[in-house]
Amino acid sequence: MAGPRGTYGDGRRGRMFLRWCCILLGGFLRSNPGAGAMLVKVDVDSLPWIWTPIMRGVGLAPDAVVRVKLQTVVPCPNAFVVLFTDRQWPAVAPILFKPDPRLNKRYLPCAWRGSLEKAIEVEHHIQASDVEGYWLGIVQVTPGALQGLTGEVRFVNPGDNDLPVQE
């Protein structure tokens, strides 16, 4: 998760960010995804950042499926589940790590996104010509606005094959 100095915040905010990443990664490691799939269970009270990764750099083949089933305790119209490709990530990462009140008026290029204004239950099929890495996470315009996020996200390559470019 190394990056330019300040990418994940300095001091207390940086430690909090890393702690949340460990919590989310811990939930992933405790799950039993089955052959050729990854399952990430999500159960958090609130998210204190604009961007919170659920999974980073997951290698998916063309026609892989990302299944998202998430809900919040309170509707959160300014929070989104977002899927970025490795190619899109360098352009959007600087925006996601700097508080900017104009974020709700900006369109971030992404492979898919869904609003957490209501529960999400969707299957997104990867439409690509080759294997690529994908980043999935939560973007919220007002950090901390999202409350009681629960559910799961599953990544499945065609034929339940292993994820080839996974780190």
Side-chain angles (χ1 to χ4, degrees):
M1 297 176 90
R5 180 170 167 72
T7 299
Y8 296 101
D10 292 323
R12 183 172 177 251
R13 288 184 64 114
R15 286 189 303 274
M16 285 178 59
F17 179 80
L18 291 174
R19 187 176 307 135
W20 274 103
C21 289
C22 290
I23 289 168
L24 291 170
L25 181 61
F28 163 69
L29 293 175
R30 285 191 306 271
S31 64
N32 182 7
M38 281 202 270
L39 172 68
V40 179
K41 294 193 179 208
V42 179
D43 187 0
V44 292
D45 292 329
S46 81
L47 302 173
W49 303 282
I50 294 170
W51 162 254
T52 303
I54 293 176
M55 198 50 125
R56 66 180 189 88
V58 176
L60 297 175
D63 207 32
V65 177
V66 179
R67 292 186 184 115
V68 178
K69 184 177 181 182
L70 294 171
Q71 58 276 334
T72 59
V73 172
V74 177
C76 195
N78 289 323
F80 303 89
V81 181
V82 184
L83 182 68
F84 298 109
T85 66
D86 273 348
R87 282 187 228 137
Q88 294 165 332
W89 182 248
V92 298
I95 298 166
L96 296 175
F97 292 106
K98 293 181 185 176
D100 185 344
R102 297 171 297 161
L103 184 62
N104 65 342
K105 295 180 181 161
R106 294 181 88 160
Y107 176 76
L108 298 175
C110 59
W112 172 82
R113 77 176 181 173
S115 173
L116 285 165
E117 182 173 13
K118 59 183 181 179
I120 295 175
E121 189 167 350
V122 67
E123 272 193 10
H124 173 74
H125 290 266
I126 300 298
Q127 297 183 9
S129 58
D130 202 1
V131 172
E132 187 165 4
Y134 288 84
W135 297 65
L136 184 95
I138 306 296
V139 173
Q140 54 183 341
V141 175
T142 306
L146 186 142
Q147 300 293 314
L149 179 66
T150 58
E152 63 184 41
V153 177
R154 186 177 302 261
F155 304 88
V156 184
N157 264 324
D160 267 352
N161 291 323
D162 288 332
L163 303 166
V165 297
Q166 170 184 318
E167 292 182 339

